Amino acid sequence: MAQAQPALIRYQVEIDDLHSHHFRVSLSVARPAAEQVVSLPVWINGSYMVREFGRHLSGLSARQGRRGLVLQQLDKTSWLARCSGDAALVLSYRVYAFDASVRAAFLDAGRGFFNGSSLCLRVQGREAERHRLQLGALPRGWQLATAMSASPDGAPRAFEAANYDELVDHPVTLGRFWRGNFEAGGVPHEIVVSGALPGFDGERLLADSQRICAQQIDFWHGDDASPPPFDRYQFHLQAAEDGFGGLEHRASTALTAARRDLPRQHADGLSDGYVTLLSLISHEYFHSWNVKRMKPAELVAPAHDRENYTRLLWFFEGITSYYDELMLRRAGLIDAPRYLKLLAKTLNAVAQTPGRQVQSVADASFDAWVKYYRGDENTVNATVSYYLKGALLALCLDLRLRQLGASLDELMRRMWRRSGAGRSTQAEAGAISEGDILAELSALGGRTLAAELRTWVHGTGELPVAELLPAFAVLASAEHAPWATALGLKLSEGPLTGVRVTTVLAGGAAAAAGLSAGDELLAINDWRIRRLDDALAWLAREQPFELLLVRDQRVMRLKLTPQPLSPLASQWSLHCQDTPKPKPAAHRRRLGWLDA
Ligand SMILES: [Zn+2]
């Protein structure tokens, strides 16, 4: 058998300066083109916004053999090297790394983290070749974690990827971190946790995550006992004082969570914060199938240097958001009442989004690059979240299918088979279109349901949640919304900052009174406000009042008339209907949905 040739594209990543947050990268390109272009991606797959990673790159120099080359910068993120002969082109540069999110790179005296899309210049025309990543010496006591394959040459801290896309799809964590293992579906899984407090209960996190992963592997592969599409999996969890987020990769995920939300030793039960963390773990893991392998046709070979538009994020993010919480119920981590509490939160969040009547989830998907990821005070009035409304759409689809004796589970497995993602490692495998979804749905639930789905996806009408839940022995009751919501306001409140309006919801009482984002609320009926809810608790829900406020230094008075009948004034709470005795069919349907 022929020995594999060494990789010709080689990165050496060194810690340059912990305190000024700089990595140093040296990239060696054997047999460069006469006019060799290199560039850094402008976005990272899974987070649909142009982030201009090149802005953190500095001090780029190039040489070929002993000859220094003058690089020509072509645009904001690309450089041209004019090479001659076969000697390797060697580029050297620094990257500023002080982004604590999961999307870029971070380095300080406590830890390091990076995605290849922030550190590794792409050698244009050579993306399909093997790429080698070598980490330099690490500070004493630091460890390294990545799901990238170790280099076949066995060198320490050396890794190899089959191509550039794979290289940038394996984040790397460095530092003194906690790590633990479990197995699910015959596949080794590892959790790496940076920044946890000493009382953190790692064993609990491992046990609960194991149940989620086993449940999901069974979901996708239980029917035919096929293996999961990865042979190892790694969770990179960064605990911080605040923060929340995750980014999916082919054999790993990078997560950020609030430190206080991690499970604690000697604590019983699941805090709301820990349930949020488990939902995040469940969400990113579900993406291993739904978006990392089965994916929109437009994202099969995405361009690194510009936006890549798709109208299907409602499917990939919305359906994933529906299953992230449902999988906690199926894994037995939460009971049905707790699940319904989470569902009610989603229901209320969408009901309090006036933009749901302006934008469809298909358009929200397409516009993610400039709207969802670039939210401002008007976002809630002009757009709808394809995560939240997408999750409700998935709920409606699941309940409609269950009324017909099928389920969304079956539709997802049909989509998986149709996409071919499980059968092939070919790059183009896994692509699906809206037409594919409608075709499979027609086959499973009939053409009427497929037509209904089209109106949910492309329309701005209300989803039939309220009509479907009673058929599953789940009742909704209306409660008073918190005062700010009831008036159509989003606020930032603090003892030092005071009460500030961040958003005025279209159609609410505050909008009718003329309030604006940026207003600072001082007093109600001439009494000083510390927290709006505390101040208004003394008034009847329909009683008009006078607000004293400051706008751009000017003190003003506005009269506000609450609208107790506005949809914003109430919020839904969901309950299992057990007394009086539910209709047996509805009860059976609920068992199939929530107790399976
Ligand atoms: Zn997601």
Side-chain angles (χ1 to χ4, degrees):
M1 212 166 80
Q3 186 77 29
Q5 293 295 313
L8 301 180
I9 313 280
R10 302 162 82 90
Y11 302 85
Q12 170 90 21
V13 172
E14 304 278 352
I15 290 176
D16 189 48
D17 188 339
L18 293 171
H19 305 295
S20 76
H21 320 291
H22 277 90
F23 287 105
R24 174 165 290 283
V25 184
S26 166
L27 162 59
S28 166
V29 184
R31 299 190 217 119
E35 296 208 327
Q36 183 63 61
V37 177
V38 295
S39 57
L40 209 57
V42 302
W43 71 291
I44 181 165
N45 210 334
S47 183
Y48 307 100
M49 176 175 160
V50 169
R51 295 181 189 277
E52 318 287 21
F53 297 122
R55 75 192 199 274
H56 294 307
L57 188 151
S58 64
L60 179 60
S61 66
R63 62 185 165 78
Q64 208 187 1
R66 290 194 194 143
R67 189 168 67 97
L69 298 183
V70 177
L71 286 165
Q72 182 187 347
Q73 185 162 5
L74 301 177
D75 59 29
K76 62 187 179 183
T77 196
S78 309
W79 290 264
L80 167 69
R82 290 196 169 78
C83 303
S84 55
D86 264 356
L89 166 67
V90 178
L91 297 147
S92 173
Y93 51 97
R94 296 172 91 208
V95 175
Y96 178 66
F98 199 47
D99 180 330
S101 81
V102 293
R103 309 175 200 112
F106 182 91
L107 182 66
D108 75 0
R111 71 172 180 110
F113 172 83
F114 66 86
N115 291 286
S117 41
S118 280
L119 257 60
C120 298
L121 284 168
R122 175 167 64 100
V123 182
Q124 293 196 11
R126 307 280 293 271
E127 294 90 337
E129 293 181 23
R130 282 189 298 130
H131 286 57
R132 184 179 195 274
L133 177 72
Q134 170 77 59
L135 272 291
L138 297 177
R140 204 180 165 79
W142 279 33
Q143 307 178 73
L144 183 164
T146 180
M148 206 183 310
S149 300
S151 171
D153 61 23
R157 302 187 303 280
F159 303 89
E160 265 196 34
N163 50 52
Y164 183 77
D165 283 355
E166 186 186 320
L167 175 82
V168 298
D169 202 17
H170 290 295
V172 177
T173 292
L174 308 168
R176 293 187 184 88
F177 47 70
W178 180 94
R179 66 201 306 174
N181 303 288
F182 63 85
E183 200 183 275
V187 173
H189 290 63
E190 184 177 34
I191 306 187
V192 169
V193 184
S194 311
L197 289 167
F200 155 64
D201 189 350
E203 295 308 314
R204 175 81 192 266
L205 184 64
L206 289 172
D208 292 345
S209 303
Q210 200 269 345
R211 287 164 74 171
I212 294 167
C213 297
Q215 188 63 231
Q216 295 197 14
I217 290 172
D218 187 55
F219 175 93
W220 292 101
H221 304 285
D223 277 6
D224 58 2
S226 55
F230 40 83
D231 57 14
R232 64 203 179 284
Y233 195 90
Q234 202 170 51
F235 294 92
H236 297 239
L237 171 58
Q238 158 62 15
E241 184 170 7
D242 270 306
F244 176 80
L247 195 56
E248 63 276 9
H249 300 283
R250 66 186 65 193
S252 61
T253 176
L255 312 166
T256 304
R259 200 166 273 132
R260 61 183 173 277
D261 290 346
L262 267 57
R264 297 166 204 190
Q265 289 165 11
H266 318 296
D268 292 331
L270 279 76
S271 68
D272 285 349
Y274 184 42
V275 170
T276 303
L277 171 59
L278 292 176
S279 306
L280 178 65
I281 285 169
S282 178
H283 181 99
E284 302 306 336
Y285 195 70
F286 198 82
H287 274 319
S288 306
W289 292 268
N290 196 35
V291 95
K292 288 311 298 184
R293 288 177 174 83
M294 179 163 74
K295 58 182 79 168
E298 300 85 355
L299 290 178
V300 165
H304 293 282
D305 57 353
R306 58 181 154 79
E307 293 84 350
N308 294 260
Y309 299 100
T310 170
R311 292 188 191 278
L312 286 179
L313 294 181
W314 63 268
F315 183 92
F316 293 98
E317 290 298 351
I319 292 182
T320 300
S321 296
Y322 173 61
Y323 277 110
D324 62 22
E325 291 170 350
L326 194 57
M327 287 292 171
L328 304 190
R329 170 68 207 113
R330 290 193 184 166
L333 293 164
I334 57 174
D335 58 15
R338 187 120 187 218
Y339 173 74
L340 292 177
K341 223 173 120 183
L342 297 172
L343 185 57
K345 218 171 139 187
T346 307
L347 197 60
N348 289 323
V350 173
Q352 292 156 11
T353 302
R356 76 186 187 286
Q357 295 169 325
V358 177
Q359 189 188 45
S360 69
V361 285
D363 289 344
S365 302
F366 195 85
D367 269 340
W369 299 83
V370 293
K371 290 193 173 171
Y372 182 81
Y373 279 95
R374 292 193 177 163
D376 59 28
E377 66 287 341
N378 192 46
T379 296
V380 75
N381 292 327
T383 73
V384 70
S385 161
Y386 48 81
Y387 287 88
L388 297 174
K389 189 178 171 188
L392 291 188
L393 191 154
L395 166 76
C396 292
L397 198 52
D398 196 13
L399 299 188
R400 275 268 195 271
L401 283 165
R402 284 174 185 277
Q403 285 179 320
L404 298 168
S407 70
L408 185 59
D409 299 7
E410 288 168 57
L411 180 68
M412 293 307 285
R413 289 191 283 264
R414 276 171 172 262
M415 291 307 303
W416 176 253
R417 284 194 294 272
R418 184 183 183 102
S419 77
R423 290 192 304 274
S424 170
T425 52
Q426 300 261 314
E428 66 277 11
I432 62 164
S433 65
E434 187 179 311
D436 291 322
I437 300 165
L438 293 172
E440 290 295 339
L441 183 58
S442 291
L444 190 62
R447 295 165 68 107
T448 313
L449 183 53
E452 195 173 17
L453 176 67
R454 270 189 61 84
T455 67
W456 295 346
V457 169
H458 294 282
T460 54
E462 301 292 346
L463 294 171
V465 183
E467 161 198 338
L468 283 165
L469 287 176
F472 288 78
V474 171
L475 292 185
S477 57
E479 303 167 343
H480 284 313
W483 262 111
T485 309
L487 296 173
L489 285 172
K490 289 183 188 285
L491 301 173
S492 123
E493 295 180 307
L496 297 178
T497 54
V499 182
R500 236 169 232 289
V501 176
T502 54
T503 287
V504 179
L505 298 185
L515 264 83
S516 167
D519 288 350
E520 185 187 355
L521 309 186
L522 296 182
I524 285 174
N525 295 341
D526 290 332
W527 288 87
R528 181 81 155 99
I529 313 175
R530 296 292 181 194
R531 278 173 31 87
L532 188 77
D533 255 53
D534 295 346
L536 289 173
W538 299 91
L539 302 184
R541 297 294 290 194
E542 67 287 348
Q543 189 180 334
F545 56 87
E546 189 179 71
L547 259 178
L548 184 71
L549 58 96
V550 179
R551 181 179 299 168
D552 190 24
Q553 285 193 301
R554 184 189 280 267
V555 178
M556 314 170 57
R557 287 177 189 274
L558 285 178
K559 190 167 173 194
L560 216 146
T561 306
Q563 302 169 351
L565 299 180
S566 147
L568 292 172
S570 29
Q571 61 186 19
W572 296 103
S573 148
L574 302 176
H575 314 275
C576 295
Q577 182 191 15
D578 279 323
T579 50
K581 208 171 183 330
K583 288 180 190 147
H587 192 87
R588 269 202 310 278
R589 280 190 214 109
R590 192 184 73 215
L591 287 177
W593 171 39
L594 290 186
D595 292 312

